[in-house]
Amino acid sequence: MKAFLGMGLLGSNFVKAMIKKGDQVQVWNRTSAKATVLEAIGAKAFPDPAAAVQQADIVHLALKDDDAVNEVLALAAPGLKPGATIIDHTTTAVAGAIQRTQEWKERGFTYLHAPVFMGPLNALESTGLMLVSGDQEVIGRLQPVLAAMTGKVINFGPATGRAAGMKLTGNLFLVGLTAGLADALSLSRSLDIPLDNLVTLFDSWNPGVAIQARLQRMAGGSYDQPSWELSMARKDTRLFMDAVATGGGRLAVIPAIAAEMDRWISKGHGNEDWTVIGSGQYKDKG
């Protein structure tokens, strides 16, 4: 028997996939209608978390944040089967994941934080990525359960909370990517470039293929053989900002990047590779 607490878009589709594979699933959601609607496909909805987790060997969570996880688990605790396993797919703080892992172990339960890079369709189709870290015996035992839910499980080793950190890092990149695209759209509009031209550009030019090499260069500490000098990148950044200002638009992230470039240029790095601006995350604490 499985239980799933949190019937948002991700949780409800996880449940649909589980039921399709023959699992018995008990569900709960703060807005009860989101849980009861799943009874039509075979789930059993309950009015409170403690009732929903009774007799469940594995309890899955997909909630909003650390506070929600702590609150719902506190409500569920009286109904937990002795020795039950809690698998939390919520995006949380690293400290929260570490604390819950230890706390629930002391109470006689297994808690594994397993955040995902998956949308609702991925959850329904059991595709995407699931991240884990911590006790390797626990992860090995749960591997078949996790693998059935997703296309790939990435194990980041024995450090408890590392999966939470990797999820946050990935989400930060997605936020930055989307903000960068927003700025690219603003520049395009300011220059009267139609959207289909932008689509054509990215059909032929995929900057994503450079990520791994760029990351290694940024963290490598050697910037004296530039492929694009910082001063030249800053010149182009000025052109971006001037064009958008002339066109009456606004930029979300480029002005902050320009300020960071200026900081590094003022320290004498203008003739180095522009990736030097990322070295401060490792080398420069000033």
Side-chain angles (χ1 to χ4, degrees), residues 194-219:
L195 179 61
D196 60 352
N197 283 181
L198 200 59
V199 171
T200 297
L201 173 64
F202 286 108
D203 277 343
S204 300
W205 174 58
N206 178 14
V209 300
I211 288 176
Q212 291 186 355
R214 183 69 51 82
L215 183 62
Q216 291 296 329
R217 181 158 194 174
M218 290 174 71

Side-chain angles (χ1 to χ4, degrees), residues 37-49:
V37 71
L38 294 171
E39 291 190 322
I41 62 167
K44 188 170 183 181
F46 289 84
D48 63 82

Side-chain angles (χ1 to χ4, degrees), residues 3-21 25-44 60-63 89 116 118-126 149:
F4 211 116
L5 309 179
M7 293 294 99
L9 294 175
L10 195 67
S12 61
N13 276 1
F14 269 137
V15 169
K16 291 174 185 176
M18 289 175 178
I19 291 173
K20 187 176 180 180
K21 293 170 186 172
V25 189
Q26 301 176 165
V27 299
W28 170 87
N29 193 73
R30 197 179 303 273
T31 303
S32 59
K34 291 183 178 181
T36 56
V37 71
L38 294 171
E39 291 190 322
I41 62 167
K44 188 170 183 181
H60 293 270
L61 307 173
L63 301 168
H89 306 291
V116 300
M118 300 169 68
L121 183 60
N122 295 119
L124 186 63
E125 296 179 345
S126 301
M149 298 175 67

